[in-house]
Amino acid sequence: MKETQNFTAIIGGCHCGNIRFVLRWPKSDTEIPVRKCGCTFCQKHTGAWTSHQNAELVVEFIDAKNVSKYGFGTNTADFCVCSICGVVPIVLSEIDDRVYAVVNVNTLEDINEFSFAISSTNFDGEDTEGRLERRKRNWIPSVEFEGFAN
């Protein structure tokens, strides 16, 4: 883990390393909220998601041809699935010309100094407008891409 002035940099990615990221987490927050989603896709992939409105995310797709973007339901978010190892490390949602993201905590590395606050969520019945507004409030609003144009 590398540290910057205001952030702790947490490394993560898929199993084979084709999708890699650096999550810049605010140093003031040593507890990571984890949301276990109740949708069928997240249940089948054991998705446990985190985000912070003040965090920053830098994503790198080593071989973009081996990254599948899977959208279902409202098709307002893309689950980035590594076509090589099958892991889903991040979800992206473009809202009002800005990309927001959540990170699968199961893909974080070397996070011993953090504690986790785990909760279960279920967004069934949420309308599209409400869903997008919630993401704008809660998901990571600063997402950059290296080596790949989104």
Side-chain angles (χ1 to χ4, degrees):
M1 221 178 311
K2 299 176 184 174
E3 296 188 13
T4 61
Q5 187 175 14
N6 298 317
F7 297 99
T8 299
I10 305 170
I11 306 299
C14 67
H15 189 259
C16 71
N18 187 47
I19 302 173
R20 299 187 306 200
F21 62 83
V22 176
L23 174 60
R24 295 180 183 139
W25 195 262
K27 278 189 177 182
S28 58
D29 292 339
T30 57
E31 183 174 84
I32 295 177
V34 179
R35 294 176 304 280
K36 290 191 173 188
C37 182
C39 80
T40 56
F41 184 83
C42 290
Q43 286 179 348
K44 289 179 183 271
H45 284 85
T46 318
W49 309 100
T50 194
S51 59
H52 191 293
Q53 62 185 349
N54 295 321
E56 298 174 353
L57 183 66
V58 179
V59 178
E60 182 177 16
F61 298 145
I62 303 305
D63 183 356
K65 292 179 299 220
N66 282 312
V67 176
S68 297
K69 290 185 176 179
Y70 178 68
F72 66 97
T74 61
N75 285 309
T76 57
D78 290 321
F79 288 77
C80 294
V81 182
C82 178
S83 299
I84 300 168
C85 66
V87 174
V88 183
I90 61 172
V91 181
L92 305 172
S93 182
E94 187 172 335
I95 307 166
D96 299 330
D97 297 320
R98 182 180 206 159
V99 176
Y100 293 83
V102 290
V103 172
N104 187 343
V105 297
N106 295 317
T107 64
L108 301 176
E109 301 171 8
D110 191 26
I111 50 174
N112 297 331
E113 68 187 71
F114 291 93
S115 60
F116 297 95
I118 300 171
S119 63
S120 295
T121 59
N122 189 326
F123 301 114
D124 288 345
E126 183 178 50
D127 68 6
T128 301
E129 184 178 327
R131 183 168 299 208
L132 296 177
E133 288 302 316
R134 174 181 48 79
R135 288 178 186 158
K136 288 195 301 191
R137 283 190 313 274
N138 299 324
W139 284 28
I140 301 164
S142 177
V143 181
E144 298 175 29
F145 296 90
E146 291 186 355
F148 176 76
N150 187 28

